[in-house]
Amino acid sequence: MNRAPLTGLRVLDLATLFAGPLAATALGDFGAEVIKVEHPDRPDPSRGHGPAKDGIGLWWKHLGRNKRAITLNLSTPGGRDTLLRLAATADVIIENFRPGTLEKWDLGWPELSAVNPRLVLTRVTGFGQFGPYAHRPGFGTLAEAMSGFAALTGEPDAPPTLPPFGLADSIAGLATAYAVLTALAARDRTGEGQVVDLALIEPMLSVLGPQPTWYDQLGYVQQRIGNRSANNAPRNTYRTADGSWVAVSTSAQSVAERVMRLVGRPDLVDQPWFATGVDRARHADELDEAVGGWIAERTRDEVLAAFEKAEAAVAPIQDVRDVMTDPQYQALDTITTVDDPELGPLRMQNVLFRLSATPGAIRWTGRPHGADTDEVLTELGLTPAEVAALRAEGAV
């Protein structure tokens, strides 16, 4: 990993559930030394989220990978002093306490920057560090609701729909990693660190496209339309003769024309309204009937083969069982195998992207709670007696 691009970067991950820790994971995947700091008695709740095997949480194995795990009670004098000593050696701290919590422990930006002016303090919260909602508890679900995502998701005559996984947290986690690298690039020029303030409600809103601009200029409010698109058609999910489902997209005009010729309706291509995606979307019923009827008479494999031959865009609707055996994912090593000391070989998502000269890697899976405390504190210069005193205080 000495070739990894973030080798030499030290990150203290103080965050929990899920955006902040995911950002730290993304940095660790590309060589950063990540030290996961957890409360001695209250581990990161992700250790207990979702299915477990032999009492060992599997979510943590993914989220905690490439991190050394230590414990510190930051509300104790010993825990506070130890964090300041760690901060003096770090490049980045990622935290997601409610605004004012670090300050209550005398660990705010003035104290942290005093011991390390080059530090980047990254604060990830539901609503940001200021404003009328700043002190509310915030989770990704609230961001999915407030941003407009849920209002857009689902069928027109059905309730707004929330995703069955941490979508807003995941988007915010990747945005946080980007924010950290941006702040570090600025530090390279100025020599000084700064505070990153990231609110979960903002990255989620940013990925929803130009809706605020549409509303500002036109008063336009996008409505729920199920699997269709207001910008092009045909675009939907369709059931095949053998009971499978496929998704079709025609964002490009040329692809839309190929699809209609493939399903035996070249006459529709000649209609004046077929020339733009928005106009095609207004005729979605007619286009869906043509595409859906053709697909319904063929098996999934027949549909996929015909679309590929016609150079039209289609994909099977896959669940995780299909993902694990998909030949494209296999070619990319998207799902890779990592040896875990507790569970043996584990398969999980690989690093997010490939770099030709300085690749990332999964060096190890999520470590047990506090597994590296003594080692990290000893490296920091604490003696065994000092570590024992911290443990007696309840600081570690």
Side-chain angles (χ1 to χ4, degrees):
M1 287 297 290
N2 59 357
R3 297 175 59 223
L6 300 183
T7 297
L9 189 72
R10 174 173 268 202
V11 178
L12 305 183
D13 175 9
L14 278 56
T16 60
L17 291 180
F18 283 99
L22 180 60
T25 301
L27 299 171
D29 284 351
F30 285 90
E33 178 197 3
V34 180
I35 299 175
K36 176 70 177 182
V37 180
E38 299 172 84
H39 192 281
D41 303 319
R42 297 188 296 276
D44 188 322
S46 66
R47 290 182 180 272
H49 266 54
K53 181 180 180 182
D54 300 333
I56 300 169
L58 298 176
W59 202 325
W60 172 251
K61 290 298 181 182
H62 174 262
L63 191 64
R65 71 192 193 191
N66 293 335
K67 300 179 183 181
R68 303 166 78 191
I70 73 168
T71 61
L72 279 182
N73 183 347
L74 303 183
S75 66
T76 64
R80 174 190 180 275
D81 292 345
T82 304
L83 183 73
L84 288 174
R85 291 181 67 168
L86 279 169
T89 71
D91 298 283
V92 178
I93 289 179
I94 300 175
E95 63 95 1
N96 70 337
F97 300 108
R98 286 200 210 182
T101 301
L102 283 184
E103 287 74 10
K104 178 179 67 176
W105 297 330
D106 293 325
L107 287 170
W109 178 239
E111 291 82 9
L112 292 169
S113 61
V115 300
N116 185 353
R118 291 175 54 81
L119 184 69
V120 171
L121 174 61
T122 307
R123 318 193 76 167
V124 184
T125 56
F127 304 104
Q129 295 295 309
F130 56 91
Y133 304 164
H135 290 276
R136 294 181 181 179
F139 298 100
T141 297
L142 308 188
E144 290 147 10
M146 286 182 58
S147 63
F149 171 83
L152 292 174
T153 307
E155 297 296 330
D157 55 352
T161 301
L162 295 167
F165 62 96
L167 178 62
D169 275 298
S170 299
I171 292 172
L174 299 179
T176 300
Y178 165 55
V180 166
L181 296 177
T182 302
L184 290 172
R187 188 187 71 174
D188 288 344
R189 294 200 312 273
T190 67
E192 297 181 352
Q194 60 183 299
V195 178
V196 174
D197 176 10
L198 189 139
L200 292 182
I201 59 174
E202 292 181 308
M204 192 69 211
L205 180 58
S206 72
V207 301
L208 294 181
Q211 292 190 46
T213 305
W214 287 341
Y215 180 75
D216 173 65
Q217 295 295 304
L218 302 172
Y220 173 70
V221 179
Q222 187 172 340
Q223 302 298 307
R224 289 193 297 283
I225 52 176
N227 292 320
R228 288 178 172 177
S229 169
N231 303 311
N232 64 81
R235 191 264 198 178
N236 214 325
T237 60
Y238 307 93
R239 192 165 191 173
T240 63
D242 54 354
S244 297
W245 291 85
V246 297
V248 172
S249 176
T250 58
S251 296
Q253 179 69 24
S254 59
V255 173
E257 294 174 4
R258 291 175 200 150
V259 168
M260 300 319 299
R261 292 190 176 101
L262 171 64
V263 302
R265 293 300 305 275
D267 56 299
L268 296 178
V269 176
D270 297 327
Q271 296 295 322
W273 50 262
F274 198 88
T276 70
V278 172
D279 283 338
R280 293 200 310 274
R282 297 190 180 104
H283 292 78
D285 286 342
E286 186 175 1
L287 295 171
D288 274 346
E289 182 179 359
V291 175
W294 185 89
I295 288 175
E297 296 174 350
R298 291 159 176 83
T299 66
R300 188 190 79 160
D301 288 346
E302 290 171 339
V303 171
L304 297 178
F307 268 71
E308 182 173 1
K309 184 177 180 180
E311 298 185 359
V314 69
I317 303 294
Q318 300 190 148
D319 64 19
V320 67
R321 294 168 295 186
D322 304 310
V323 169
M324 299 295 268
T325 59
D326 183 280
Q328 183 61 32
Y329 283 132
Q330 289 180 337
L332 296 174
D333 195 29
T334 305
I335 307 297
T336 196
T337 300
V338 189
D339 285 328
D340 178 77
E342 296 178 289
L343 298 174
L346 287 181
R347 288 195 288 173
M348 63 176 63
Q349 297 97 317
N350 209 336
V351 300
L352 192 59
F353 48 85
R354 287 160 293 281
L355 297 179
S356 62
T358 56
I362 303 172
R363 290 162 284 164
W364 62 83
T365 56
R367 302 269 289 146
H369 181 228
D372 304 295
T373 300
D374 287 8
E375 182 180 63
V376 170
L377 296 187
T378 299
E379 291 172 359
L380 196 59
L382 276 70
T383 66
E386 289 173 317
V387 174
L390 288 173
R391 191 162 277 119
E393 180 191 346
V396 300

